[in-house]
Amino acid sequence: MVKLKLTRPDDWHLHLRQGSLMSSVVEMTARQMGRAVVMPNLSPPIRTVGESLKYRSEIIASLPKQSSFNPLMTLYLTDQTTKQDIIDASQNEHVYAVKLYPAGATTNSDDGVTALSSLYSTIEQMQKEEMPLLIHGEVTHAEVDVFDREKVFIETILDPLLKRFPELKVVLEHITTKEAVDFVTDASQDIAATITAHHLLANRNHMFLGGIKPHYYCLPVLKRRAPHQESLIKAATSGNPRFFLGTDSAPHDRLHKESACGCAGVFSAHAAIELYAEAFDKANKIERLEGFASHYGADFYGLDRNKDTIMLEKKSWQVPDIFEFSGAEVVPFFSGEDLSWRLVS
Ligand code: NCD
Ligand code: ZN
């Protein structure tokens, strides 16, 4: 049996939700990951240190007793976020970053930012405190094609922002395009990107071929195989430490996805590291998985790498069709399909 021992990985972009759904999904992440950067797009969003600490204690309370999983909290940037909010965040040991959602870009982004220009003093404070800005990098103008929104964001928002704040620490989240890969590759050491397992393993054909497949719909939306998916695979498996693991696992009840106006989000926490192992193995780069999954994110955030390890074995298994949680049915990524690596529990 082929086995692979890895430093315990971390998930640098995760949606845990609230209440009973959170209690159902958090353990799936905690059994694989040492830490996760927890997204603040609840309804209402997590805007202050006080709100994020309350949310963190709810997460901790729903973990199995012996778990040492550490949720790293984030604040949701709004038009009202002040310099003082950033000072408070940087003085707190549990808040690690601030998340920018352009208003209307994705799930629960209505309270997001309408104009970055009104937030320059807040962002300047982030630069000073070396507080990472995590970016959902898509423009929202109706006239911009959905498949071009990331590229246009990079050109018209991100590039000018970094010219104004050249030392701002930025993670461009869940990148989906060759343009994003190229931008991060050519940018300073302060700019990194997360890549999801679903953007490595799927492209827009998966969403449309043979009928419309709502469980492949996420934002930013899946792009073409060539050049976009191929660029992401190349970046993730390149050994460049500025690309690292962020699942963007985002559970939604199937009724909200299998609908005339289905919501965006792919659930992948059930098999996160196995899905990445699948992608790296397919690219014949399994030896690069550990850096991407377990080293580079911690290094970028200035944190120690995890001290313990996990073990994967190459043994085919079938992903469940559906998870029946209390109050929600969630269709996971790779539902009913085989994966070739399995976490040894
Ligand atoms: C995320 C969600 O459901 O919260 N959805 C998604 O498609 N990725 C939000 C986000 O990260 O954009
Ligand atoms: Zn997300």
Side-chain angles (χ1 to χ4, degrees):
M1 179 80 58
V2 181
K3 291 199 170 167
L4 182 66
K5 191 160 119 182
L6 300 177
T7 303
R8 185 176 293 284
D10 301 299
D11 186 348
W12 301 96
H13 183 127
L14 176 68
H15 299 270
L16 281 177
R17 312 303 191 204
Q18 284 168 289
S20 62
L21 185 52
M22 173 184 75
S23 307
S24 305
V25 299
V26 65
E27 196 271 333
M28 293 182 174
T29 294
R31 97 196 149 84
Q32 306 201 334
M33 306 288 174
R35 296 164 284 199
V37 169
V38 180
M39 290 297 127
N41 64 330
L42 305 184
S43 180
I46 302 296
R47 280 166 293 201
T48 63
V49 171
E51 287 163 357
S52 81
L53 295 182
K54 182 167 173 286
Y55 183 31
R56 186 172 188 277
S57 59
E58 290 162 15
I59 297 167
I60 300 283
S62 60
L63 284 168
K65 287 257 171 319
Q66 69 286 6
S67 175
S68 57
F69 174 70
N70 185 7
L72 311 180
M73 308 311 290
T74 59
L75 298 190
Y76 188 115
L77 190 67
T78 72
D79 289 342
Q80 283 77 43
T81 308
T82 62
K83 217 169 134 170
Q84 189 59 44
D85 292 325
I86 303 304
I87 296 171
D88 295 347
S90 60
Q91 287 172 353
N92 189 280
E93 59 175 331
H94 295 304
V95 181
Y96 286 84
V98 173
K99 179 69 191 276
L100 162 64
Y101 292 101
T106 186
T107 305
N108 291 345
S109 63
D110 292 350
D111 294 299
V113 173
T114 58
L116 266 180
S117 54
S118 63
L119 284 167
Y120 285 160
S121 72
T122 306
I123 294 171
E124 188 161 17
Q125 193 64 34
M126 294 185 62
Q127 175 169 260
K128 203 165 143 195
E129 308 275 2
E130 295 177 29
M131 168 72 68
L133 179 65
L134 315 183
I135 300 185
H136 184 111
E138 290 192 287
V139 295
T140 56
H141 324 302
E143 69 277 11
V144 178
D145 189 275
V146 166
F147 290 95
D148 295 334
R149 288 180 171 201
E150 183 174 278
K151 168 178 173 294
V152 175
F153 183 91
I154 291 168
E155 289 162 7
T156 63
I157 312 278
L158 183 58
D159 194 36
L161 182 74
L162 294 177
K163 292 211 163 89
R164 183 175 283 264
F165 300 104
E167 280 155 43
L168 183 66
K169 240 178 133 117
V170 165
V171 184
L172 192 54
E173 299 288 339
H174 42 51
I175 58 168
T176 62
T177 57
K178 178 175 189 302
E179 288 82 0
V181 168
D182 292 347
F183 185 86
V184 172
T185 304
D186 297 341
S188 83
Q189 297 300 311
D190 293 323
I191 315 302
T194 53
I195 304 180
T196 77
H198 49 281
H199 288 99
L200 293 175
L201 289 165
N203 57 63
R204 65 191 201 178
N205 272 6
H206 291 85
M207 198 168 40
F208 295 124
L209 275 188
I212 193 155
K213 311 271 177 51
H215 297 290
Y216 281 96
Y217 176 59
C218 64
L219 287 169
V221 74
L222 295 170
K223 306 295 192 299
R224 291 171 179 274
R225 181 179 61 78
H228 301 304
Q229 182 192 8
E230 287 175 356
S231 296
L232 298 174
I233 295 168
K234 216 168 143 198
T237 61
S238 67
N240 181 337
R242 285 185 297 115
F243 297 99
F244 47 82
L245 186 158
T247 62
D248 194 22
S249 175
H252 288 277
D253 190 282
R254 67 185 294 186
L255 291 177
H256 296 133
K257 291 195 65 72
E258 297 171 11
S259 136
C261 186
C263 58
V266 166
F267 179 62
S268 59
H270 61 292
I273 195 65
E274 291 102 331
L275 287 160
Y276 282 103
E278 187 83 16
F280 276 66
D281 204 4
K282 261 190 188 158
N284 289 318
K285 290 280 168 58
I286 195 75
E287 71 283 2
R288 293 267 168 87
L289 179 62
E290 185 176 36
F292 176 84
S294 315
H295 295 165
Y296 306 151
D299 297 351
F300 184 82
Y301 275 81
L303 300 172
D304 289 341
R305 297 175 182 178
N306 292 320
K307 303 273 183 299
D308 58 338
T309 56
I310 60 163
M311 182 74 81
L312 297 174
E313 63 182 19
K314 197 160 188 180
K315 186 175 185 201
S316 173
W317 63 287
Q318 198 183 15
V319 174
D321 292 341
I322 194 157
F323 288 101
E324 314 236 1
F325 300 135
S326 72
E329 289 190 340
V330 175
V331 177
F333 187 52
F334 260 60
S335 162
E337 288 180 66
D338 287 344
L339 279 173
S340 41
W341 289 86
R342 176 151 218 176
L343 181 71
V344 184
S345 51

